[in-house]
Amino acid sequence: MEILKSPKKYQLFINGEWKDSISNQFIEVVNPANGNVVGQVASGNMVETKEAIDAACNSFLSWSKETPKARADILMRLYSLLLENEDHFASVITNEMGKPIVQARSEVQIAAEHFRWNAEEARRIYGKTIQSSEKQKRLSIIRQSVGPVAAITPWNFPLSMVARKLAPALAAGCTVILKPAEQTPISAIEFFKLAEKAGVPKGVINLVIGNPKEIGDVLLEDKRIRKITFTGSTEVGKLLYKKAANQVKRVSMELGGHAPIIVFEDCDLESTVNQVVRSKFNNTGQTCVCPNRIYVQESIKDKFINLFKEKVQSLKMGYGIDENIDVGPVVNKSGLDKVKKHVEDALQKGATLVVGGKVSDKDHHKNGYFYEPTVLDCVNDQMLIANQETFGPVAPIFSFEIEEEVVKKANNTDYGLAAYIFTENLSRSVRVSEALEYGMVGINDTVVSQVEGAFGGIKESGIGREGGPDCLDDFLEMKLITTIIRD
Ligand code: ADP
């Protein structure tokens, strides 16, 4: 297993060339498990962003006219290359953002699958012909690439988020300027090296890294960029949405979530607890679909908590490069501060601590951002944790008595990304899944993120879907062509 020791230098990738930044400034990427600097990345600005836009616009003319088969062939090469380099990418991910290596490997596989799925869908970009109400007229609808696209990605899945944006964009014939999160740009940089090997033509994908607002503003103000695809916080998403409105740019947004899990008394308790633990502590609780509110029916709450506590106590926390680690650090100090604040606020307002509840005091955790896997009981709606994303290893447990009451509570949020229910009662599972105001509902299942499914939220959790049978729609425009024919 490769372990990154001394900081490497990384460059930007624009118009098919690796480049130092004009400003000669660097961003330091820090391993959140031990504070080591794992890389120094060139920090670009508006000049490089403009160059990247020029490159994406020039290459759009040829890339959008390539056959879907030719585009799909390149995507399939990326699929294979990612899998061939799984261990390398997994260690990069673990070192730059802290997730355990087993989860990092799974992220690489998911990233690869996005390329395969979108390659397959590229060949199925269909149009329509429609019978006109006028005898002499013919109507058809064709679908064409939206245009050059700006993609902005977050740090919590530094590789698979890049894949989720680039794979459908490329499949649909769009060119791209990618701006990854400044905390975790190395996975994206390593991906661009593979893209060169896979034969992505010059200028079709470009990578700029640096001050997010400065780069974001240039991307949004340029009329030639026809679409923005973004994953990140609802706060930044709203900002970008407003700016995109000036030129009526197309937008796809995967924003925050505040997922409820509803555990009914008729569930299979053992399997439910296992799934809730896995989903809550996956990626150290730093996913937008992880459960933020665990509603347990009063009659089984004690049993649930006992079993839950036992499983949480058995989780191993540490530097994720070790195969046995279940929970890594949170990404940085502000992430850790937020977790502390949420737990302190809940305890002050009457929650009880079942397990955890503090920053790890283990000697080998002292240079990292480790917060003990935590379970809180008696959580209520007045607490911060009940309303905001914690993005950390904290499981807040609420109780409820009747179905109608819990559905109302679960829907009482501006978010609408993922929700989960656990029950063996078929009618209840249908009733409740239909009543939940969320883009995705898992029934006895917490893994809603599937490349074959349509991932995305409603309300303030976003617009558009990623993956699934309609994955290219957001990157294609419809064009109606009407023809009058003569006798
Ligand atoms: P998080 O809270 O998970 O870090 P953010 O929404 O802050 O989520 O960040 C997600 C992505 O959005 C990152 O790539 C970040 O650099 C970028 N970003 C943040 N602020 C802006 C902005 N004002 N304009 C453009 N991009 C931004």
Side-chain angles (χ1 to χ4, degrees):
M1 175 58 55
E2 180 190 9
I3 298 180
L4 304 177
K5 288 198 181 91
S6 56
K8 282 194 203 167
K9 295 231 164 156
Y10 294 94
Q11 295 173 300
L12 309 172
F13 189 74
I14 298 167
N15 202 22
E17 280 174 31
W18 291 98
K19 289 188 162 197
D20 288 328
S21 65
I22 293 163
S23 68
N24 212 21
Q25 292 190 335
F26 288 90
I27 294 171
E28 284 205 332
V29 179
V30 175
N31 183 333
N34 53 25
N36 290 346
V37 176
V38 292
Q40 288 180 322
V41 177
S43 177
N45 59 25
M46 51 198 301
V47 178
E48 281 105 345
T49 311
K50 283 191 177 132
E51 283 175 15
I53 297 173
D54 289 343
C57 293
N58 291 337
S59 61
F60 179 74
L61 302 173
S62 50
W63 182 247
S64 59
K65 292 203 172 65
E66 262 307 348
T67 62
K69 182 173 181 299
R71 296 197 297 254
D73 285 345
I74 292 179
L75 296 195
M76 282 308 288
R77 283 204 283 280
L78 276 166
Y79 162 74
S80 305
L81 282 168
L82 278 166
L83 292 183
E84 279 167 30
N85 292 279
E86 182 179 309
D87 278 345
H88 171 65
F89 274 96
S91 77
V92 169
I93 293 170
T94 296
N95 280 298
E96 76 170 343
M97 69 75 58
K99 79 177 45 151
I101 193 81
V102 177
Q103 294 173 24
R105 277 198 209 104
S106 147
E107 180 174 344
V108 182
Q109 289 157 18
I110 290 166
E113 287 299 337
H114 274 282
F115 282 96
R116 173 152 75 164
W117 178 261
N118 282 283
E120 290 162 348
E121 289 302 305
R123 308 214 38 201
R124 280 171 264 290
I125 299 174
Y126 302 129
K128 278 184 180 156
T129 59
I130 307 116
Q131 298 287 316
S132 168
S133 53
E134 294 170 36
K135 272 191 182 157
Q136 302 299 101
K137 206 157 177 154
R138 300 291 181 269
L139 304 179
S140 63
I141 293 172
I142 61 165
R143 295 204 295 163
Q144 295 178 303
S145 321
V146 165
V149 169
I152 300 182
T153 51
W155 51 262
N156 60 344
F157 290 91
L159 183 67
S160 66
M161 290 294 167
V162 170
R164 276 176 179 231
K165 310 288 181 209
L166 261 53
L170 292 176
C174 298
T175 53
V176 185
I177 299 110
L178 172 74
K179 194 212 79 62
E182 54 281 15
Q183 297 91 335
T184 58
I186 301 176
S187 303
I189 294 170
E190 293 290 337
F191 171 81
F192 272 66
K193 293 182 187 165
L194 282 199
E196 266 191 303
K197 278 194 197 161
V200 177
K202 182 177 146 183
V204 168
I205 56 173
N206 304 275
L207 178 66
V208 279
I209 300 157
N211 180 298
K213 183 175 179 308
E214 185 177 345
I215 294 172
D217 283 353
V218 176
L219 291 170
L220 282 152
E221 280 160 19
D222 196 305
K223 286 197 171 166
R224 295 171 297 170
I225 297 295
R226 291 311 313 144
K227 175 183 171 72
I228 170 150
T229 172
F230 171 75
T231 297
S233 60
T234 295
E235 189 192 347
V236 173
K238 285 181 184 176
L239 241 156
L240 300 179
Y241 199 6
K242 282 184 197 148
K243 290 182 186 170
N246 285 334
Q247 295 159 5
V248 198
K249 288 190 201 299
R250 300 271 299 268
V251 294
S252 299
M253 302 218 155
E254 300 294 347
L255 307 178
H258 205 272
I261 277 199
I262 308 176
V263 181
F264 289 100
E265 60 192 0
D266 54 28
C267 72
D268 174 335
L269 194 63
E270 176 86 27
S271 125
T272 302
V273 169
N274 283 336
Q275 289 212 57
V276 180
V277 170
R278 195 180 59 192
S279 169
K280 175 69 250 186
F281 296 98
N282 178 40
N283 212 16
T284 318
Q286 301 170 114
T287 77
C288 47
V289 293
C290 80
N292 282 275
R293 288 168 290 150
I294 303 168
Y295 294 102
V296 184
Q297 202 154 17
E298 191 58 52
S299 53
I300 57 158
K301 205 181 88 174
D302 290 347
K303 266 201 218 158
F304 179 92
I305 288 186
N306 287 338
L307 200 52
F308 196 68
K309 178 182 174 187
E310 198 183 293
K311 308 255 178 202
V312 172
Q313 279 175 320
S314 71
L315 294 172
K316 255 188 99 183
M317 186 169 65
Y319 177 23
I321 215 78
D322 172 354
E323 296 281 337
N324 300 317
I325 292 298
D326 303 302
V327 182
V330 294
V331 71
N332 55 22
K333 182 171 181 309
S334 70
L336 191 65
D337 288 345
K338 189 174 188 190
V339 174
K340 284 199 272 188
K341 186 172 154 194
H342 278 198
V343 173
E344 277 161 22
D345 171 81
L347 292 174
Q348 262 170 26
K349 292 178 181 160
T352 55
L353 187 63
V354 178
V355 63
K358 60 178 170 56
V359 172
S360 170
D361 49 17
K362 295 212 168 83
D363 210 34
H364 58 289
H365 290 164
K366 70 173 190 297
N367 293 326
Y369 303 108
F370 288 99
Y371 197 89
E372 289 186 357
T374 297
V375 181
L376 298 173
D377 188 14
C378 304
V379 177
N380 67 45
D381 296 345
Q382 273 63 54
M383 301 171 184
L384 287 177
I385 204 164
N387 301 291
Q388 298 175 8
E389 280 188 292
T390 306
F391 247 56
V394 185
I397 297 179
F398 302 66
S399 62
F400 73 94
E401 292 194 11
I402 54 170
E403 186 182 305
E404 291 75 13
E405 168 208 349
V406 76
V407 169
K408 229 175 175 179
K409 283 190 168 182
N411 285 339
N412 186 22
T413 168
D414 291 331
Y415 293 113
L417 191 59
Y420 312 91
I421 54 177
F422 284 85
T423 175
E424 293 297 309
N425 179 321
L426 175 67
S427 299
R428 169 177 274 158
S429 69
V430 173
R431 250 188 342 258
V432 176
S433 58
E434 289 177 359
L436 286 167
E437 295 165 359
Y438 288 82
M440 298 170 286
V441 178
I443 302 172
N444 297 330
D445 181 28
T446 51
V447 188
V448 289
S449 179
Q450 301 285 305
V451 67
E452 304 85 357
F455 186 98
I458 60 171
K459 293 162 79 177
E460 294 190 15
S461 286
I463 301 168
R465 295 292 181 271
E466 288 179 336
D470 307 312
C471 59
L472 302 188
D473 285 4
D474 282 359
F475 293 86
L476 294 167
E477 293 282 14
M478 274 192 252
K479 182 182 281 174
L480 170 70
I481 301 180
T482 73
T483 312
I484 301 270
I485 56 155
R486 308 200 198 292
D487 290 329

